[in-house]
């Protein structure tokens, strides 16, 4: 109920990135944004920082494309909030390297610092593709992230009437993460 769906897409998309932590990969994202602008791609870019959550949600609702994070796989809170409001969300999923245990219909667009440029080149001018992706977000969230369903499953698991399979396999940081700096 907190997330008002607004999945329309503009011809000139608004791209939003909210660098709340070092894991977002902003130092990789913004040079790519600048390169695309210099190549004549028509879009507006907004970097959102130090904005109250309610105000940030309004900004996300008015966006077309959200760039979440590039350094840690799985998508963060922002990614799932933006799926709920019907946005195209680009984030590192790393399916080739990291078993996310996500359903195949997960509409998060898997990008990394090497693929973000080509993905944006394809998505920015393609309004029908963006709309197709955006329309999948809210149904996905309602199906797989519904608190009532999740709580019922947990309670059934605890009382022994239904065993739950894990939906998260946190091996990335133990097995594959190579920090690019001491802070990372």
């Amino acid at each position: 109920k907190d997330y008002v769906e607004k999945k329309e897409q503009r011809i000139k998309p608004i791209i939003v990135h909210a660098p709340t932590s070092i894991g977002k990969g902003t130092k990789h994202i913004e040079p790519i944004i600048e390169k695309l602008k210099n190549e004549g791609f028509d879009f507006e870019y907004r970097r959102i920082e130090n904005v109250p959550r309610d105000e940030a949600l309004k900004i996300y609702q008015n966006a077309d494309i959200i760039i979440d994070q590039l350094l840690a796989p799985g998508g963060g809170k922002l990614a799932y909030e933006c799926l709920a409001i019907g946005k195209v969300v680009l984030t590192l999923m790393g399916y080739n390297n990291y078993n996310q245990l996500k359903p195949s219909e997960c509409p998060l667009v898997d990008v990394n610092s090497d693929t973000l440029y080509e993905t944006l080149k394809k998505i920015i001018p393609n309004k029908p593709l963006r709309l197709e992706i955006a329309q999948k977000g809210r149904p996905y969230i309602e199906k797989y992230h519904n608190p009532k369903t999740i709580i019922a499953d947990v309670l059934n698991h605890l009382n022994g009437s239904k065993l739950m399979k894990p939906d998260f396999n946190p091996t990335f940081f133990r097995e594959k993460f190579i920090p690019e700096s001491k802070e990372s």
Side-chain angles (χ1 to χ4, degrees), residues 73-75 98-102 165-173:
Y98 181 60
N99 184 2
Q100 293 285 335
L101 303 176
K102 296 283 184 209
K165 292 181 182 175
D167 63 355
F168 181 66
N169 185 10
T171 60
F172 174 76
F173 287 104

Side-chain angles (χ1 to χ4, degrees), residues 4 23 50 58 140:
V4 177
N50 302 316
K58 289 177 185 170
Y140 176 83

Side-chain angles (χ1 to χ4, degrees), residues 54-102:
D54 290 345
E55 189 178 325
L57 279 175
K58 289 177 185 170
I59 293 168
Y60 305 147
Q61 286 171 338
N62 193 44
D64 299 285
I65 301 168
I66 306 293
I67 303 175
D68 182 29
Q69 59 192 34
L70 297 183
L71 302 181
K77 180 179 178 187
L78 173 64
Y80 294 97
E81 287 180 321
C82 290
L83 286 181
I85 57 178
K87 300 302 161 189
V88 175
V89 180
L90 283 56
T91 193
L92 176 63
M93 295 303 286
Y95 292 119
N96 294 336
N97 298 317
Y98 181 60
N99 184 2
Q100 293 285 335
L101 303 176
K102 296 283 184 209

Side-chain angles (χ1 to χ4, degrees), residues 3-15:
Y3 304 99
V4 177
E5 186 178 25
K6 188 176 177 190
K7 58 188 173 213
E8 298 83 18
Q9 293 284 313
R10 294 172 188 76
I11 292 172
K12 179 181 178 177
I14 296 174
I15 300 173

Side-chain angles (χ1 to χ4, degrees), residues 10 30 36 44 55 57 64 100 111 115 118 120 127 146 167 180:
R10 294 172 188 76
E30 292 190 336
L36 290 165
E44 182 180 330
E55 189 178 325
L57 279 175
D64 299 285
Q100 293 285 335
V111 294
T115 62
E118 288 299 325
L120 284 170
K127 181 181 172 184
N146 181 328
D167 63 355
E180 59 186 49

Side-chain angles (χ1 to χ4, degrees), residues 3 19 24 32-33 37 65 71 94 131 134 138 140 144 147 179:
Y3 304 99
K24 296 286 187 168
I32 291 169
I33 293 292
K37 281 192 178 251
I65 301 168
L71 302 181
L131 186 57
R138 182 66 171 236
Y140 176 83
Y144 294 103

